[in-house]
């Protein structure tokens, strides 16, 4: 049985594939028939208006050669006082337009002769007047006709090709547009007046028009002939489509039903309710048939290549174009197979049984008992049922109000409401289950289980699932930060103890030394200087510690004023000049403007620059240059301090701005390790940014203030 299923499926695919390829192979015949039919008709339609207008233009040119002055107004009669003068003006303007391009246009060739004056005019070297008697000349042209106007202005067509009725109709329709009756209201006589506008044909002219087999691609006629007819494409495609449909239908009818039922796709189709299946089938078959003319035309006009060019895959056009066409027909013929299969299925199952099992109405009747039981056992105490019921009742009222304007609106609204109820209920249950999954994971996380993951799809809660993952990661990060903070606190206590203990121990030692009586004045003076130096160091350390603590706690009040940043940097440099000179450091300042004014706290900003200069005086290499760049743009003011480090830079750029972190790991310098931390805190308090960058031994401090 399983083997038969694969064999029948493969056989059906081969049948559909062969039919689809065969239909694609018929495209050239459909296209050629359409071209032949539409080309001849398009030529007639085009030449109809051209012959009408050019006849008058040619007549005018021939009269000029014979020194005869003929006015175009003589060909059209229209009362001066009426709106028909607009028709007259448009007629004369059209003739003048044709006159200008008469001998230069490339759409068609012509030769004309005035039978009275024997004057001729032509735009070709061929003697087209003899085309009816010269076979060699006639073979050069794909279409030609001789138009004669006698002395009375009557027109006749000689030696014309087939479809002369169509040509006469095209010329007459243009002519009749100027032969019009108008009704106007005469206010003086209070009555409607019928006014007639009419044109007359030229006289005593014979004109032969001809179109060459090779039409100039840039001509107006070539553009006109490029228009294709959807109806013609469809008309010539129908016989081929019907032929393949008949062949496929016969094959399906001949294959026993027991074999067709083994095809999984057809087996699925047979389970779809008739109303839904019929709607989908009609929609798809109608859509595909409407696309047929455009698909066939697109193959021969390069439209598919242009489409592929949009996606940059035009090189695959020779492969993709036939594949798309074959897929189109594969789907179309599959729908024919479905139709024939359903006809066989209907007769095999019987109309009565099919109605009960395969139609929506039959299903409702068959399952009415089950539906009734569900209604009777409906639990109103269930919150979900109550919520859904409210939505459905409201929806039913709205649909009923709308449906009262239709014959069976109430019945369909009832069916729709029942369906929507069960759909919504299932959806609510699904949402409840998804919510429970998310809630359980949240409870585990709240109990400290960071290894919990949600791998299920939780529907509309998927965004919350993603946020849950972020929260979990945030908790883990917070724990790591807390561990890091505790470690930093321990290091802080250790560093503070060390940095406070060093000068304090020295103070205690020298105090004990001062207590000795046998001290010379020089020794006493020396000890006092050491005590003063260590006391100041201890004071500065405590002051810096207070400054950082206040900054981090936000307990600092800022007083913003307009500050000249360039002047403030120079002032800080001047105050630190002695320390900078000790290392022979040469300061080079570059600024984008002589004055850069910004609203800042002057004392805190001064402290920022002072700390940076002090830091440079401690750690910069002797006899080097220090560069300071102050750059102002539309959004920011950036200050960059650059110096060469005396010691090899081994510290982390982020750690160096932390509290009690020194570039000198041995902590042999007199600094507190709070200089850059104060710079960072004071900068950020003023809504700025501070960062440190290193490149080899180049140390850069970058301050950015936002405008």
């Amino acid at each position: 049985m399983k083997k038969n299923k694969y064999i029948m499926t493969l056989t059906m695919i081969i049948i559909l594939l062969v039919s689809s390829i065969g239909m694609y192979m018929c495209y050239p015949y459909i296209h050629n028939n359409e071209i032949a039919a539409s080309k001849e008709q398009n030529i007639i339609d085009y030449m109809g208006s051209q012959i009408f207008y050019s006849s008058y233009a040619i007549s005018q040119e021939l009269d000029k050669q014979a020194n005869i002055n003929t006015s175009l107004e003589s060909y059209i009669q229209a009362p001066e006082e009426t709106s028909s003068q607009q028709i007259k003006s448009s007629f004369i303007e059209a003739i003048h337009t044709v006159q200008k391009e008469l001998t230069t246009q490339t759409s068609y060739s012509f030769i004309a002769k005035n039978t009275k004056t024997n004057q001729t005019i032509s735009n070709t070297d061929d003697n087209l007047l003899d085309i009816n008697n010269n076979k060699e000349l006639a073979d050069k042209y794909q279409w030609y006709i001789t138009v004669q106007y006698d002395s009375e202005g009557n027109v006749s067509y000689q030696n014309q090709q087939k479809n002369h009725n169509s040509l006469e109709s095209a010329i007459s329709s243009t002519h009749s547009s100027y032969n019009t009756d108008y009704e106007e209201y005469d206010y003086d006589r209070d009555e409607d007046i019928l006014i007639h506008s009419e044109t007359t044909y030229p006289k005593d002219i014979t004109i032969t028009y001809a179109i060459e087999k090779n039409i100039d691609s840039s001509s107006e006629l070539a553009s006109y002939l490029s228009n294709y007819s959807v109806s013609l494409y469809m008309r010539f495609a129908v016989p081929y489509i019907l032929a393949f449909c008949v062949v496929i239908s016969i094959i399906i009818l001949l294959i026993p039903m027991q074999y067709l039922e083994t095809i999984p796709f057809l087996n699925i189709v047979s389970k779809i309710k008739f109303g839904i299946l019929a709607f989908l089938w009609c929609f798809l078959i109608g859509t595909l048939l409407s696309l047929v003319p455009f698909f066939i035309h697109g193959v021969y006009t390069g439209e598919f290549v242009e489409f592929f060019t949009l996606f940059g895959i035009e090189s695959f056009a020779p492969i993709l174009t036939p594949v798309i066409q074959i897929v189109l027909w594969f789907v179309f013929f599959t729908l024919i197979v479905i139709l024939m299969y359903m006809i066989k299925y209907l007769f095999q199952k019987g109309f009565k049984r099919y109605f009960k099992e395969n139609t929506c109405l039959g299903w409702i009747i068959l399952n009415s008992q089950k539906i009734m039981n569900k209604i009777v056992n409906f639990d109103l105490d269930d919150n979900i049922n109550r919520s859904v019921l409210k939505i459905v009742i409201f929806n039913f009222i709205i649909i009923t109000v709308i449906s009262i304007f239709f014959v069976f609106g109430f019945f369909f609204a009832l069916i729709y409401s029942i369906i929507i109820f069960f759909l919504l209920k299932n959806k609510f249950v699904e949402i409840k289950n998804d919510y429970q999954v998310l809630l359980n994971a949240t409870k585990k996380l709240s109990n400290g289980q960071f290894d919990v993951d949600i791998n299920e799809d939780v529907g509309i809660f998927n965004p919350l699932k993603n946020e849950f993952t972020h929260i979990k990661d945030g908790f883990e990060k917070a724990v790591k930060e807390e561990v890091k903070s505790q470690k930093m606190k321990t290091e802080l206590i250790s560093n503070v103890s060390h940095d406070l203990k060093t000068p304090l121990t020295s103070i205690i030692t020298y105090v004990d030394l001062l207590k000795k009586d046998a001290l010379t004045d020089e020794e006493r003076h020396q000890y006092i200087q050491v005590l003063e130096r260590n006391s100041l160091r201890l004071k500065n350390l405590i002051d810096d510690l207070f400054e950082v603590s206040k900054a981090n706690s936000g307990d600092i009040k800022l007083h913003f004023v307009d500050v000249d940043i360039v002047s403030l940097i120079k002032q800080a440099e001047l105050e630190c000049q002695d320390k900078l000179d000790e290392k022979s450091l040469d300061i080079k300042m570059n600024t984008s403007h002589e004055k850069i004014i910004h609203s800042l706290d002057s004392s805190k900003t001064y402290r920022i620059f002072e700390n940076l200069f002090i830091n440079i005086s401690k750690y910069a290499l002797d006899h080097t240059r220090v560069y300071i760049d102050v750059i102002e743009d539309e959004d920011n003011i950036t200050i960059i301090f650059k110096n060469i480090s005396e010691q090899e830079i081994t510290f982390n750029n982020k750690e160096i701005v932390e509290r009690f972190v020194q570039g000198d790991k041995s902590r042999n310098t007199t600094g507190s390790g709070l200089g850059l931390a104060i710079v960072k805190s004071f900068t950020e308090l003023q809504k700025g940014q501070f960062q440190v960058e290193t490149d080899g031994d180049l140390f850069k401090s970058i301050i950015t203030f936002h405008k």
Side-chain angles (χ1 to χ4, degrees):
M1 188 67 179
K2 201 171 184 180
K3 186 177 180 182
N4 290 340
K5 178 178 72 173
Y6 293 131
I7 292 174
M8 277 308 304
T9 302
L10 182 60
T11 302
M12 190 58 63
I13 292 173
I14 292 172
I15 292 170
L16 293 172
L17 200 57
V18 169
S19 301
S20 303
I21 295 172
M23 188 63 206
Y24 178 70
M25 299 297 291
C26 296
Y27 276 18
Y29 305 104
I30 299 171
H31 182 64
N32 291 337
N33 289 335
E34 192 278 338
I35 288 177
S38 63
K39 185 176 182 181
E40 183 176 353
Q41 185 60 47
N42 286 343
I43 288 175
I44 291 171
D45 292 341
Y46 177 79
M47 291 304 297
S49 61
Q50 292 297 318
I51 289 172
F52 175 80
Y53 291 114
S54 63
S55 297
Y56 294 99
I58 291 170
S59 176
Q60 285 273 295
E61 293 299 318
L62 290 173
D63 287 349
K64 286 179 183 179
Q65 292 181 13
N67 295 320
I68 300 172
N69 294 322
T70 304
S71 172
L72 286 174
E73 293 187 0
S74 63
Y75 292 113
I76 184 166
Q77 304 297 323
E80 295 292 338
E81 296 82 4
T82 67
S83 58
S84 60
Q85 282 297 308
Q86 296 177 359
I87 298 290
K88 186 176 182 178
S89 299
S90 65
F91 169 78
I92 295 172
E93 185 179 350
I95 301 303
H96 282 157
T97 302
V98 174
Q99 263 184 302
K100 292 176 184 178
E101 304 172 353
L102 191 61
T103 57
T104 59
Q105 59 81 29
T106 57
S107 294
Y108 57 86
S109 302
F110 74 89
I111 186 169
K113 180 179 180 182
N114 189 308
T115 56
K116 275 191 174 183
T117 64
N118 290 324
Q119 298 291 333
T120 62
I121 184 173
S122 177
N123 68 342
T124 178
D125 295 331
D126 295 335
N127 184 16
L128 296 179
L129 291 174
D130 194 38
I131 194 170
N132 297 302
N133 303 319
N134 189 334
K135 186 176 184 306
E136 184 179 350
L137 182 61
D139 290 340
K140 183 180 177 180
Y141 295 90
Q142 61 173 306
W143 186 93
Y144 57 88
I145 188 171
T146 299
V147 184
Q148 291 182 328
Y149 299 94
D150 62 16
S151 58
E152 301 296 327
N154 298 315
V155 62
S156 62
Y157 308 97
Q158 293 182 356
N159 301 316
Q160 58 190 11
Q161 297 176 325
K162 59 184 179 178
N163 288 333
H164 84 264
N165 290 332
S166 298
L167 181 63
E168 288 182 10
S169 176
I171 296 173
S172 298
S173 65
T174 309
H175 181 258
S176 63
S177 65
Y178 296 102
N179 299 342
T180 311
D181 289 332
Y182 294 91
E183 282 190 3
E184 289 201 349
Y185 190 77
D186 190 329
Y187 290 95
D188 293 332
R189 294 185 294 177
D190 293 336
E191 61 181 11
D192 290 326
I193 302 173
L194 186 65
I195 302 170
H196 185 67
S197 174
E198 185 176 6
T199 57
T200 59
Y201 282 121
K203 300 175 182 179
D204 300 315
I205 303 175
T206 300
I207 311 172
T208 299
Y209 298 91
I211 296 175
E212 293 187 6
K213 289 184 177 178
N214 297 322
I215 301 172
D216 186 351
S217 60
S218 62
S219 67
E220 185 181 278
L221 177 59
S223 176
Y224 194 85
L225 293 178
S226 64
N227 297 326
Y228 72 101
S229 171
V230 172
S231 59
L232 284 175
Y233 265 118
M234 199 66 215
R235 189 179 81 188
F236 292 118
V238 164
Y240 297 98
I241 297 173
L242 288 177
F244 282 105
C245 287
V246 169
V247 172
I248 292 173
S249 299
I250 292 173
I251 293 173
I252 298 301
L253 291 174
L254 291 176
I255 297 176
M257 192 65 180
Q258 61 186 21
Y259 293 115
L260 291 175
E261 288 177 339
T262 60
I263 300 175
F265 174 71
L266 293 178
N267 195 25
I268 293 171
V269 168
S270 64
K271 295 178 181 178
I272 301 175
K273 300 303 177 185
F274 173 77
I276 300 172
L277 182 62
F279 172 78
L280 292 175
W281 191 93
C282 292
F283 174 77
L284 290 175
I285 207 79
T287 301
L288 293 175
L289 283 174
S290 65
L291 292 175
V292 166
F294 303 101
F295 271 70
I296 299 176
H297 178 259
V299 171
Y300 294 97
T301 57
E303 291 178 5
F304 279 95
V305 177
E306 293 179 7
F307 175 75
F308 295 140
T309 303
L310 297 175
F311 303 95
I313 54 174
E314 61 274 10
S315 58
F316 296 98
I319 299 173
L320 291 177
T321 300
V323 167
I324 291 174
Q325 302 292 323
I326 291 169
V327 168
L328 166 73
W329 290 111
F330 190 93
V331 174
F332 180 84
F333 292 132
T334 300
L335 293 172
I336 302 301
V337 170
I338 291 173
L339 175 63
M340 300 313 298
Y341 173 77
M342 292 308 297
I343 291 173
K344 292 187 70 172
Y345 183 79
L346 175 63
F347 281 97
Q348 183 198 47
K349 199 167 189 178
F351 288 94
K352 186 176 180 181
R353 185 181 170 192
Y354 184 85
F355 173 78
K356 289 182 179 180
E357 298 179 5
N358 292 83
T359 63
C360 295
L361 183 58
W363 180 85
I364 292 173
I365 296 172
L366 192 65
N367 294 276
S368 58
Q369 185 64 40
K370 295 180 181 178
I371 296 172
M372 185 59 67
N373 290 336
K374 287 186 177 181
I375 294 173
V376 172
N377 297 324
F378 184 74
D379 186 9
L380 286 174
D381 294 330
D382 192 309
N383 291 330
I384 293 178
N385 286 345
R386 284 205 307 271
S387 300
V388 173
L389 186 60
K390 291 177 183 177
I391 295 172
V392 171
I393 291 174
F394 177 77
N395 193 35
F396 175 73
I397 294 171
I398 298 298
I399 295 173
T400 303
V401 171
I402 297 172
S403 300
I404 59 176
F405 299 101
F406 300 93
V407 179
F408 298 105
F410 180 82
F411 174 76
F412 290 119
L414 180 61
I415 295 175
Y416 170 77
S417 299
I418 294 172
I419 294 172
I420 205 72
F421 167 77
F422 288 106
L423 289 176
L424 288 175
K425 179 183 177 183
N426 292 336
K427 189 63 181 177
F428 271 88
V429 171
E430 181 183 342
I431 291 172
K432 181 180 179 181
N433 294 335
D434 293 339
Y435 168 79
Q436 195 62 45
V437 171
L438 192 64
L439 182 62
N440 292 337
T442 306
K443 288 180 178 178
K444 291 180 180 178
L445 181 63
S446 65
N447 292 328
Q449 299 181 28
F450 295 107
D451 58 343
V452 61
D453 288 316
I454 303 175
N455 299 317
E456 304 97 310
D457 181 10
V458 290
I460 62 172
F461 296 111
N462 277 326
L464 290 178
K465 182 179 77 172
N466 298 333
E467 292 300 324
F468 175 85
T469 303
H470 295 155
I471 291 171
K472 187 190 73 171
D473 295 339
F475 278 165
E476 291 181 354
K477 184 178 179 180
V479 170
K480 291 179 181 178
E481 289 293 331
E482 181 63 24
V483 172
K484 181 181 177 181
S485 177
Q486 291 296 333
K487 182 179 178 182
M488 287 182 63
K489 286 180 181 178
T490 303
E491 292 178 354
L492 174 63
I493 294 171
S494 175
N495 291 335
V496 169
S497 300
H498 177 274
D499 289 334
L500 292 176
K501 185 177 179 181
T502 300
L504 188 61
T505 301
S506 178
I507 291 171
I508 294 172
T509 301
Y510 280 94
V511 168
D512 290 339
L513 290 174
L514 285 172
K515 291 179 179 179
K516 294 180 179 180
D517 296 331
L519 286 178
T520 65
D521 291 340
E522 183 180 352
E523 288 177 333
R524 190 180 302 278
H525 180 70
Q526 183 180 356
Y527 292 164
I528 291 173
Q529 285 183 335
V530 173
L531 285 171
E532 182 182 16
R533 186 168 59 252
N534 282 284
S535 297
L536 288 174
R537 182 182 176 189
L538 186 61
K539 178 181 179 297
N540 290 335
L541 182 62
I542 294 171
D543 288 344
D544 287 348
L545 184 60
F546 276 123
E547 290 282 5
V548 173
S549 299
K550 287 168 67 178
N552 289 337
S553 65
D555 192 26
I556 293 181
K557 292 183 179 180
L558 300 177
H559 302 283
F560 288 97
V561 294
D562 288 340
V563 175
D564 182 359
I565 294 177
V566 176
S567 297
L568 203 62
I569 294 173
K570 290 179 179 179
Q571 182 183 345
E573 177 191 349
L574 189 62
E575 291 293 330
C576 300
Q577 192 63 52
D578 293 341
K579 296 179 181 179
L580 295 171
D581 290 341
E582 288 177 6
K583 286 199 169 187
S584 300
L585 298 175
D586 187 11
I587 307 298
K588 300 289 184 181
M589 180 182 290
N590 300 311
T591 64
S592 58
H593 300 85
E594 291 185 3
K595 287 188 176 183
I596 298 177
I597 307 299
H598 190 54
S599 179
L600 297 168
D601 185 302
S602 58
S603 62
K604 299 297 183 292
T605 308
Y606 176 83
R607 183 67 184 279
I608 290 171
F609 299 144
E610 182 185 36
N611 280 16
L612 290 176
F613 278 118
I614 292 172
N615 192 69
I616 290 170
S617 67
K618 289 180 181 178
Y619 300 109
L621 181 66
D622 293 0
H623 305 288
T624 57
R625 282 183 287 272
V626 177
Y627 292 93
I628 303 172
D629 298 327
V630 186
I631 305 165
E632 181 182 22
D633 55 32
E634 292 182 0
D635 301 318
N636 302 305
I637 298 172
T638 305
I639 304 108
I640 305 174
F641 286 71
K642 294 182 285 188
N643 67 275
I644 302 298
S645 174
E646 184 177 19
Q647 301 293 330
E648 181 182 357
I649 296 177
T650 58
F651 52 77
N652 183 285
N653 293 348
K654 292 183 178 179
E655 289 180 354
I656 196 65
V657 296
E658 297 293 342
R659 289 168 289 177
F660 291 98
V661 176
Q662 293 180 336
D664 181 8
K665 294 293 185 181
S666 63
R667 306 186 70 82
N668 292 322
T669 59
T670 58
S672 64
L674 294 171
L676 293 182
I678 291 172
V679 170
K680 182 174 184 291
S681 298
F682 284 0
T683 303
E684 290 177 351
L685 278 172
Q686 300 181 86
K687 309 302 180 184
Q689 293 177 338
F690 175 70
Q691 59 183 353
V692 168
E693 294 182 1
T694 58
D695 185 1
D697 289 333
L698 177 64
F699 184 86
K700 292 167 61 176
S701 301
I702 304 171
I703 301 168
T704 303
F705 291 117
H706 304 294
K707 290 186 176 180

